[in-house]
Amino acid sequence: MNIIRVPVLSTNYIWCLYNYKNECIIIDPGEATKVLDILKKFQFRLRAILLTHNHIDHVNGVAPLIQYFPKTIVYGPTETKNNGSHFLVSEGDDFVLLQKKFKVLNLPGHTPGHIGFYSAPWLFCGDTVFSAGCGKICIGFAQYMYESFLKIRYLPRNTLIFSGHEYTLSNVNFAISILPQDQSIINYRNKIIKLYKKKQPTVPTTLNLELKVNPFFRCGNSNIKKSLNLPCDLKEEWQVFSELRKKKDSF
Ligand SMILES: [Zn+2]
């Protein structure tokens, strides 16, 4: 199985997985035009669309793609029932596409019903984890988002994380404002700046790297608490996580 990154809108990535038979799966089509160009160029046959959540920049391409490929099956969480999903899936569900098994993970936080698709070693996590950062959290869902991060943290370290946006430079700048002495983050920022200068993508990332450079995976770190002026004995790690995301909102 191979993958093509399709950059659309200003920061979105649509992911196109394909096999040697030129069958493909599209993940989070926020628009259709560029996807259709790729399908035509490589003569791919669209078998399925996977949706992680119901935001317009992740689902807007579903209807036009279905018009061109009416046999396509759409999998998504319940919140995508009005966005063309044929199969509403949640944690515990799995299915086989292109001879690969996909497991559904519930990853609430960015939206209440957000899900991810895991097909080792690949994780399609929509707007949950970004490289060096975390998706925006809907009101009242900080603890859920923290628990979604915990779930991802215990996947194998070699997991490749395919996020829905390219936000890495802003995220790593924020990370360094929180942990200015952290050598892993400093090194990562230097690498990201070089990639941005060459207009190269920074996604996918790996879980192994994120555990080092993503402050949202490191909320037990006492320097993060200090940086946020939180009491050292604050026990609930999800509250640190929540404060960290609030700080990023105004960064
Ligand atoms: Zn979103």
Side-chain angles (χ1 to χ4, degrees):
M1 189 104 83
N2 289 300
I3 192 153
I4 297 173
R5 176 192 302 100
V6 189
V8 296
L9 307 172
S10 55
T11 59
N12 284 70
Y13 286 135
I14 298 171
W15 300 102
C16 171
L17 280 82
Y18 65 97
N19 65 8
Y20 68 97
K21 293 178 180 170
N22 280 4
E23 299 170 311
C24 80
I25 303 168
I26 295 291
I27 293 151
D28 282 353
E31 63 137 73
T33 311
K34 279 196 180 173
V35 175
L36 286 168
D37 287 347
I38 283 174
L39 299 187
K40 278 179 203 155
K41 182 177 170 188
F42 296 104
Q43 297 190 311
F44 287 158
R45 293 186 303 280
L46 182 58
R47 293 295 188 226
I49 294 172
L50 309 184
L51 303 176
T52 61
H53 65 294
N54 66 354
H55 285 165
I56 194 79
D57 60 326
H58 292 250
V59 302
N60 213 24
V62 174
L65 288 172
I66 296 292
Q67 267 189 345
Y68 276 89
F69 299 94
K71 288 184 184 165
T72 305
I73 300 168
V74 184
Y75 296 80
T78 306
E79 66 183 28
T80 60
K81 67 177 187 293
N82 297 323
N83 305 107
S85 281
H86 305 113
F87 287 107
L88 300 175
V89 291
S90 59
E91 187 140 332
D93 289 331
D94 53 46
F95 47 85
V96 174
L97 290 171
L98 276 51
Q99 295 81 46
K100 285 268 285 178
K101 188 172 181 177
F102 288 79
K103 279 184 177 182
V104 179
L105 302 178
N106 287 348
L107 300 175
H110 177 67
T111 62
H114 196 297
I115 60 172
F117 299 94
Y118 177 61
S119 182
W122 297 345
L123 173 69
F124 298 92
C125 68
D127 292 355
T128 304
V129 173
F130 294 121
S131 187
C134 161
K136 279 199 174 139
I137 300 175
C138 63
I139 295 168
F141 274 73
Q143 189 169 357
Y144 290 98
M145 185 64 124
Y146 168 74
E147 285 163 6
S148 294
F149 266 65
L150 266 191
K151 195 178 285 179
I152 291 170
R153 149 182 229 128
Y154 290 109
L155 292 174
R157 291 286 182 102
N158 68 346
T159 299
L160 279 168
I161 299 177
F162 294 84
S163 314
H165 292 268
E166 174 68 65
Y167 288 151
T168 312
L169 184 57
S170 154
N171 287 339
V172 82
N173 283 338
F174 173 69
I176 225 156
S177 76
I178 297 294
L179 294 170
Q181 312 291 336
D182 190 289
Q183 200 54 49
S184 298
I185 297 176
I186 293 168
N187 293 345
Y188 189 51
R189 183 168 178 273
N190 291 338
K191 183 183 157 192
I192 294 303
I193 288 171
K194 280 184 195 155
L195 288 171
Y196 267 66
K197 278 185 183 158
K198 290 191 255 173
K199 296 196 183 338
Q200 286 185 357
T202 67
V203 184
T205 179
T206 65
L207 180 58
N208 196 38
L209 176 64
E210 291 308 309
L211 294 180
K212 294 180 188 129
V213 302
N214 190 328
F216 291 90
F217 277 116
R218 297 172 57 187
C219 288
N221 183 313
S222 58
N223 289 330
I224 292 184
K225 282 186 203 165
K226 266 187 222 156
S227 184
L228 294 169
N229 293 322
L230 298 174
C232 283
D233 59 352
L234 187 79
K235 290 228 170 62
E236 299 289 347
E237 217 170 277
W238 76 266
Q239 292 172 310
V240 179
F241 182 95
S242 176
E243 292 302 316
L244 191 59
R245 181 58 241 197
K246 279 185 206 157
K247 185 110 178 169
K248 174 69 168 69
D249 287 341
S250 56
F251 180 68

